Amino acid sequence: MRVLIAVTHLLGAGHLTRAAALARAFAEAGHEAALVSGGVPAPLVRLHCVRLVQLPPLRIAGTDFATLLGSDGRPADADLLARRRTLMVEADAAFAPDAVVTELFPFGRRALAAEFLALVEAARARRPRPLVLASVRDILVASTKPERIAQAHARVAALYDAVLVHGDPALAPLDASWPLDPATASKLTYTGYVDEGAPPAPAAARAGVVVAAGSGPAGLILLRAAAEAARRRPELGWRILAGHGVPEAALTAMARDLPDGTVSRARPDYRDLLVEAALSVSQCGYNTATDLLATGTPAVLVPFEAGGETEQRLRAERLAARGLARVLPEAALSAESLLHAVDAQRAAPLPGRHGIDLGGARRTVAIVEELRAGRGSVRHPPRTPRRGRDALRSALDTAADRGRSVPFFWRDDDAVTATPALDRLIALAARHATPLLLAAIPNGLAPVLGLRLEEAGHVSVAIHGLAHRNHAPPGEKPAEFGAHRPLDALRADAATGLRIARDRLPKASVLPVFVPPWNRLAPDFAAALSDLGYRGLSAVPGPDVPGLRRLDATLDPIDWRGTRSLGNPDALLRDLAAAVAEGRTVGLLTHHLVHDAAIWSFVEELIPVLVKHPAVQVVDFRHLFDQVTVDSDAGPSKSRVARIARTG
């Protein structure tokens, strides 16, 4: 098996260290491993037996993750980012991995989304398709913006086969730091912590204080406080290790008036020093915490908290709760407070056996081997409640008895590329010979979507706005084509969306149907759509618009304001039964990119109930806008479909 791991570390080298440990584990198990690294090279990271692809490196200043800097210290320009994307895709093509692993993305590294998505898209386009896996540490930093969390979940649902969580839920389950939805939670697999060091031999005796603060300059405040503490209490036997990212001038200043060897660069034998130390003083990054768990060294933890970071604080508090460490907040750090914490921890009982799983590297290999072999488990959600199904069937039977047809159509929103979820959607529609209207976002269209649509003759494409970008003022409901913008701007965007779709997708599949993002549009803009070449409109029920055939969605099974999973299925089916009884068109609206198992199950049960019932007349959007008469064997006649459209 060939495994490609893509990682870009921006602050310290922790992400690279863990990714490299995983790559080595695959290589040591007899597999081929390639590591695509996009951060600054780190001298102490071991890469033996691993193929390294070094991208033009990026870094950040301080904790400004939104501003990426090149090796010259200037903001990364479009050419640099494009070159990185090209190299990433070329690495996939050259190595042809059986599994592609993106480290942290899509839960983080939003600034690098374009290159990670390019890699994933290239991998998914290959045949046979490789596994696509996300690799995350035990604790994540969740955005304060719900839409970013939802975006990460959507990408996991659409693009990833599993999420490898390199932690032990007994210490820190992922939902302690990240608000999981059911679909994402169902793809999690805990591996245990990735312990990249050699098993330590017990020391005959422990003495001294070892201080470390990662590989970059972010730990300078801790290192300087430790240097001052060493000047005040040299008898404690200090050894202060500065990462290779710490400037030489800062290192020299810290070492002033201290015995030779007290302050030095980080060393590859750090774990051996920990085994022999009476106490460790450090931040609480992932790899440092793993080293402490492996060596059992008593610790004072000063978690890094600049820039709103919460990861290290949460991890440190969980270790402290188990009696494995003492926490000193970074805001309270000084030489005096550090010495007080050191004395208190030296006097505390030694930590006992913790039982935290440190076998993450080996177990990651085993998990990927099992996934590759297709031995993953399948979770079956409960079936739709019988009362709702019975109510729907009764309403349909009544319509049939009275000789009344029930128009039905199916629209799915937010398509941009070919994904396993889209494959599942298209297969479901094909299995039941049901036409599908796919609302695609023009600015996000990937070439592979066009190729997929050429294979699916029963799928048509509507224009889903331009970029699905919210232009509404704060506090108002989101809208891309609402009354908040000038009419000329709305017209220009709608015209551009239609042109892009016709340029990038098979012309036979693109219909002049407009689907406004969030189903909201300004009334004066709706009246202008026909002048732009549009002939149809699909949103939620609204007034007729001259010059447009309107078919609106009436059934959306997703609980958008609550769980973002399936709404109450019994209530959904009862509402649908009421709509059938009232003679309304049934417009099913789905969003394949965010479906979890419960939503898929609901839709997969509902479609055959509807399309197989004699009262249901399936609407094919293609026949609404073609120029030829459709015979009765191929589907509803053109006049019949026009009448159906007017009833919607």
Side-chain angles (χ1 to χ4, degrees):
M1 181 171 64
R2 293 185 298 278
V3 180
L4 183 148
I5 303 174
V7 57
T8 290
H9 61 288
L10 295 173
L11 189 57
H15 293 278
L16 178 61
T17 300
R18 182 171 56 255
L22 292 173
R24 292 197 310 272
F26 280 105
E28 290 164 2
H31 303 296
E32 296 181 61
L35 186 68
V36 180
S37 176
V40 177
L44 295 184
V45 174
R46 295 180 291 134
L47 291 169
H48 62 273
C49 303
V50 175
R51 184 183 306 186
L52 175 66
V53 177
Q54 177 65 56
L55 304 181
L58 295 175
R59 60 183 180 85
I60 60 172
T63 58
D64 182 10
F65 286 93
T67 304
L68 302 174
L69 307 176
S71 56
D72 58 1
R74 298 177 180 177
D77 59 21
D79 288 343
L80 174 60
L81 297 177
R83 188 159 72 254
R84 285 171 56 97
R85 287 196 300 273
T86 298
L87 291 172
M88 187 91 84
V89 172
E90 287 177 348
D92 174 75
F95 191 57
D98 301 298
V100 170
V101 182
T102 60
E103 200 280 333
L104 189 56
F105 186 82
F107 297 89
R109 297 291 182 261
R110 288 184 298 272
L112 295 172
E115 65 184 42
F116 280 112
L117 290 174
L119 170 65
V120 170
E121 182 179 312
R124 299 196 68 88
R126 285 193 288 106
R127 293 294 181 270
R129 182 178 75 77
L131 290 170
V132 178
L133 309 169
S135 167
V136 299
R137 65 193 177 212
D138 57 340
I139 295 170
L140 297 172
V141 178
S143 172
T144 58
K145 299 180 178 180
E147 61 270 21
R148 289 183 174 175
I149 294 173
Q151 181 185 56
H153 289 167
R155 285 169 171 165
V156 169
L159 302 173
Y160 286 80
D161 297 294
V163 178
L164 306 173
V165 184
H166 303 302
D168 185 339
L171 179 66
L174 193 63
D175 58 5
S177 59
W178 184 277
L180 294 167
D181 68 355
T184 306
S186 70
K187 291 191 175 185
L188 299 187
T189 300
Y190 288 91
T191 70
Y193 285 85
V194 177
D195 178 17
E196 72 115 13
R206 289 179 176 267
V209 179
V210 174
V211 182
S215 61
L220 268 173
I221 183 174
L222 172 57
L223 297 175
R224 286 167 175 159
E228 180 58 30
R231 293 186 187 95
R232 298 186 186 186
R233 298 275 300 280
E235 74 278 5
L236 293 177
W238 300 79
R239 192 184 296 271
I240 301 170
L241 306 177
H244 289 267
V246 173
E248 191 65 33
L251 191 74
T252 301
M254 281 188 291
R256 189 183 66 253
D257 301 328
L258 289 173
D260 290 345
T262 301
V263 177
S264 65
R265 291 290 181 190
R267 296 166 38 165
D269 62 345
Y270 171 64
R271 177 165 289 193
D272 293 332
L273 298 177
L274 277 182
V275 171
E276 298 171 353
L279 188 73
S280 166
V281 174
S282 68
Q283 296 177 319
C284 199
Y286 181 97
N287 296 305
T288 298
T290 303
D291 285 332
L292 293 173
L293 289 170
T295 60
T297 306
V300 171
L301 300 174
V302 186
F304 175 72
E305 297 184 81
E309 289 288 315
T310 57
E311 170 220 341
Q312 293 197 14
R313 179 62 180 265
L314 179 56
R315 187 180 294 113
E317 288 174 345
R318 291 192 168 243
L319 291 173
R322 286 175 164 259
L324 302 174
R326 180 177 301 271
V327 178
L328 173 59
E330 190 176 61
L333 177 63
S334 65
E336 183 177 358
S337 64
L338 179 58
L339 286 170
H340 178 76
V342 166
D343 286 340
Q345 190 65 359
R346 290 175 69 234
L350 291 175
R353 295 179 62 86
H354 52 71
I356 304 300
D357 186 355
L358 300 179
R362 183 177 62 256
R363 192 163 293 109
T364 296
V365 175
I367 290 169
V368 176
E369 289 173 340
E370 291 177 3
L371 288 171
R372 181 66 181 166
R375 296 197 293 270
S377 63
V378 178
R379 303 183 184 187
H380 299 283
R383 293 178 62 84
T384 307
R386 178 171 296 279
R387 288 180 301 173
R389 294 201 307 274
D390 290 346
L392 175 59
R393 287 196 175 96
S394 176
L396 292 171
D397 290 345
T398 299
D401 291 343
R402 295 176 179 176
R404 181 169 55 82
S405 293
V406 179
F408 165 72
F409 71 89
W410 184 4
R411 184 185 110 207
D412 185 274
D413 285 3
D414 300 343
V416 290
T417 189
T419 66
L422 181 64
D423 287 343
R424 183 172 180 176
L425 185 84
I426 291 174
L428 175 62
R431 187 159 63 246
H432 298 291
T434 305
L436 178 67
L437 183 69
L438 201 63
I441 303 170
N443 268 3
L445 292 178
V448 70
L449 178 62
L451 298 175
R452 183 65 183 89
L453 292 176
E454 288 179 348
E455 304 170 357
H458 60 291
V459 179
S460 303
V461 175
I463 313 306
H464 199 25
L466 177 61
H468 210 296
R469 181 177 301 160
N470 179 26
H471 293 285
E476 296 194 23
K477 292 181 178 179
E480 185 175 28
F481 287 83
H484 321 94
R485 304 169 62 206
L487 179 58
D488 286 347
L490 302 180
R491 288 170 56 94
D493 282 1
T496 300
L498 183 57
R499 176 181 54 78
I500 290 174
R502 285 172 168 168
D503 288 345
R504 298 184 185 178
L505 299 177
K507 288 183 172 54
S509 69
V510 178
L511 299 180
V513 177
F514 189 78
V515 178
W518 296 285
N519 290 302
R520 299 188 182 101
L521 74 171
D524 55 348
F525 167 66
L529 280 170
S530 61
D531 294 337
L532 302 175
Y534 286 96
R535 297 293 175 262
L537 172 65
S538 182
V540 292
D544 289 340
V545 180
L548 299 179
R549 284 176 169 148
R550 182 159 192 165
L551 279 175
D552 293 322
T554 60
L555 175 64
D556 184 345
I558 300 178
D559 177 17
W560 292 106
R561 296 182 180 180
T563 64
R564 298 182 72 86
S565 181
L566 180 67
N568 184 317
D570 192 64
L572 289 168
L573 292 180
R574 286 179 176 273
D575 288 346
L576 179 55
V580 169
E582 293 169 7
R584 287 183 277 156
T585 294
V586 175
L588 174 63
L589 172 59
T590 58
H591 293 75
H592 67 277
L593 290 176
V594 297
H595 286 191
D596 61 12
I599 299 169
W600 278 118
S601 178
F602 178 84
V603 174
E604 287 167 349
E605 289 186 35
L606 177 63
I607 293 295
V609 170
L610 290 173
V611 301
K612 293 180 180 179
H613 199 282
V616 174
Q617 178 68 65
V618 178
V619 179
D620 189 338
F621 274 77
R622 294 170 299 179
H623 300 326
L624 289 174
F625 301 100
D626 64 15
Q627 300 301 315
V628 297
T629 301
V630 180
D631 61 39
S632 58
D633 292 336
S637 70
K638 195 168 184 179
S639 61
R640 167 67 178 153
V641 172
R643 185 174 69 79
I644 291 172
R646 287 194 296 274
T647 66

